[in-house]
Amino acid sequence: MTASIPQVQALALERIRADVRSMHAYHVQPSQGLLKMDTMENPFRLPPQLQAALGERLGRLEINRYPGERQEVLKDMLARYAQAPAGSAVLLGNGSDEIITLLALACAQPHAEGRATMLAPMPGFVMYPMSARLQGLDFVGVNLTADFELDVPAMRAAIAEHRPAITYIAYPNNPTATLWAEADVQAVIDAVAAIGGLVVMDEAYQPFARRSWAQNMRADPARNAHVLLMRTLSKFGLAGARLGYLIGPAAIVGEIDKVRPPYNISVLNCETAIFALEHEALYAQQAVAIRAERQPLIDALATLPGVEKIWPSEANMVLLRVRDAARAQAEMKARGVLVKNVSAMHPLLVNCLRLTVGTHEENAQMLAALKESL
């Protein structure tokens, strides 16, 4: 007797890992017709003349061929843009999300006694624990302080106890927008050096921060010999192009590169990134404009009744606490504005909203919706 379609599918689904079946897919809110202030995108589009120039260049590409030498051109440009330390190599990823996956895959120990561990301060980027779970690493989250500062004694203790293969330091952090004290970060890096492990400085929001760890890597290469710098061009202004990159000692990056799919970056993504870096000054001006809007937005938020706390920001986002984040988010959506309710991400984030810093006009519309929604 032939089994029914549901029976066949049920048996096939059992071949998928139980932990994967219990997960929820990453959800992106529908945004058609709404002001999108929930994902920290650069609000500026290319001027029409540059749109035409980019379109013409992409139209000339040999998309019938696999990606080739232009990736080496892009790597050299990224190394110069980031002022990479001497002896560095660059690895390209389909966004920094793929690089996080590659790092976990390279450090997993499926056949060794005991699983490898990934460690990060929490609340932090959701892809760290998700990647650890999917690639078979244990994940250890170390709580930040109530004001979202690094708890250095707790970090040192966790590093000594769990001996993580990978320790992530988001610099600035997502979703708190915090740029932690240099001495505190260095203390964590030193603690990882003592047990033998990698530190990944995740600088996704570097265009909006007042400093980068790249300068520490250049100034003190011995103390940062186990440190990798991870960035993305998403916040730079190319969120749709999906281009992340990892910079670090060639010996370490070369090993991680072995688990990278051979053609993970398309010729379209690569050429778009090259074009953007050729017009780096334009994107730098956009970052300046966004940073200029950040403090006025924070000051305006502080005047709204119902806003209980606002944290300082070194990114293109602002974290604030309100009386009822779920209600405020829903009310703002009803008024045409999407923001992120991060309450469920971590107990320290209860009733917290994360707002993107946009243009002056976007920020004004968002503030009006929030004022009416509190």
Side-chain angles (χ1 to χ4, degrees):
M1 181 177 177
T2 303
S4 67
I5 290 176
Q7 288 173 324
V8 172
Q9 290 180 345
L11 290 171
L13 283 168
E14 290 181 6
R15 295 292 185 174
I16 297 176
R17 286 165 36 183
D19 62 332
V20 172
R21 283 183 278 132
S22 69
M23 293 172 65
H24 296 284
Y26 189 91
H27 176 66
V28 178
Q29 296 187 79
S31 59
Q32 187 69 33
L34 301 172
L35 177 61
K36 203 167 185 296
M37 305 295 281
D38 60 333
T39 51
M40 292 85 70
E41 294 152 323
N42 181 330
F44 299 106
R45 298 190 64 183
L46 281 174
Q49 66 273 23
L50 290 185
Q51 292 180 29
L54 175 59
E56 182 181 352
R57 183 185 294 194
L58 296 181
R60 293 197 304 265
L61 292 175
E62 294 182 316
I63 59 174
N64 58 310
R65 304 291 185 187
Y66 286 112
E69 292 80 5
R70 292 292 278 175
Q71 291 195 8
E72 298 306 315
V73 174
L74 176 57
K75 289 180 184 178
D76 290 342
M77 294 178 76
L78 288 169
R80 290 195 298 272
Y81 169 71
Q83 300 181 336
S88 295
V90 179
L91 179 147
L92 302 178
N94 194 275
S96 57
D97 292 345
E98 184 185 36
I99 295 174
I100 293 169
T101 297
L102 296 178
L103 284 160
L105 185 60
C107 293
Q109 300 284 347
H111 306 298
E113 290 187 13
R115 286 152 54 104
T117 298
M118 181 190 296
L119 184 145
M122 286 285 124
F125 188 31
V126 296
M127 287 302 298
Y128 305 152
M130 181 182 293
S131 178
R133 179 178 180 182
L134 290 175
Q135 304 304 326
L137 286 77
D138 290 327
F139 181 79
V140 175
V142 180
N143 283 351
L144 298 171
T145 69
D147 283 328
F148 300 127
E149 297 296 335
L150 272 180
D151 188 335
V152 176
M155 288 289 289
R156 282 175 169 153
I159 290 166
E161 178 183 355
H162 299 284
R163 303 180 65 84
I166 306 170
T167 298
Y168 278 100
I169 299 291
Y171 195 75
N173 189 42
N174 175 20
T176 65
T178 317
L179 189 73
W180 293 310
E182 190 174 351
D184 290 347
V185 173
Q186 189 64 64
V188 173
I189 289 173
D190 293 344
V192 174
I195 57 96
L198 299 173
V199 174
V200 181
M201 299 297 298
D202 184 351
E203 292 196 345
Y205 299 91
Q206 181 275 329
F208 313 105
R210 66 180 183 274
R211 63 177 184 268
S212 164
W213 202 258
Q215 59 200 66
N216 299 69
M217 295 167 69
R218 292 191 303 270
D220 198 345
R223 207 171 180 186
N224 293 278
H226 58 306
V227 176
L228 304 171
L229 189 72
M230 184 174 72
R231 289 185 180 177
T232 176
L233 292 182
S234 292
K235 312 310 173 186
F236 180 88
L238 301 183
R242 309 308 301 134
L243 203 297
Y245 57 106
L246 186 75
I247 295 175
I252 298 175
V253 173
E255 294 302 316
I256 299 161
D257 192 52
K258 293 176 182 178
V259 300
R260 177 185 56 84
Y263 301 116
N264 64 325
I265 303 301
S266 79
V267 293
L268 298 169
N269 294 17
C270 179
E271 202 62 37
T272 299
I274 290 173
F275 183 89
L277 289 169
E278 289 172 355
H279 298 88
E280 174 192 337
L282 171 66
Y283 288 95
Q285 291 171 6
Q286 293 175 356
V288 168
I290 293 168
R291 290 198 302 268
E293 290 294 330
R294 184 172 57 198
Q295 192 58 48
L297 173 61
I298 291 173
D299 293 342
L301 287 167
T303 68
L304 297 183
V307 173
E308 297 182 347
K309 187 173 178 63
I310 309 167
W311 282 269
S313 172
E314 287 276 349
N316 64 335
M317 58 182 150
V318 177
L319 185 74
L320 65 153
R321 176 167 285 130
V322 297
R323 296 191 190 100
D324 187 338
R327 179 178 179 274
Q329 181 198 36
E331 293 282 346
M332 291 183 74
K333 185 175 181 179
R335 289 168 172 80
V337 180
L338 284 181
V339 297
K340 183 73 171 179
N341 175 13
V342 296
S343 300
M345 288 176 57
H346 193 277
L348 288 173
L349 294 170
V350 63
N351 280 325
C352 284
L353 297 174
R354 186 190 64 194
L355 315 181
T356 299
V357 180
T359 65
H360 180 76
E361 294 74 19
E362 288 174 336
N363 293 340
Q365 184 178 342
M366 179 173 60
L367 281 164
L370 178 60
K371 183 177 181 179
E372 296 170 359
S373 302
L374 291 174

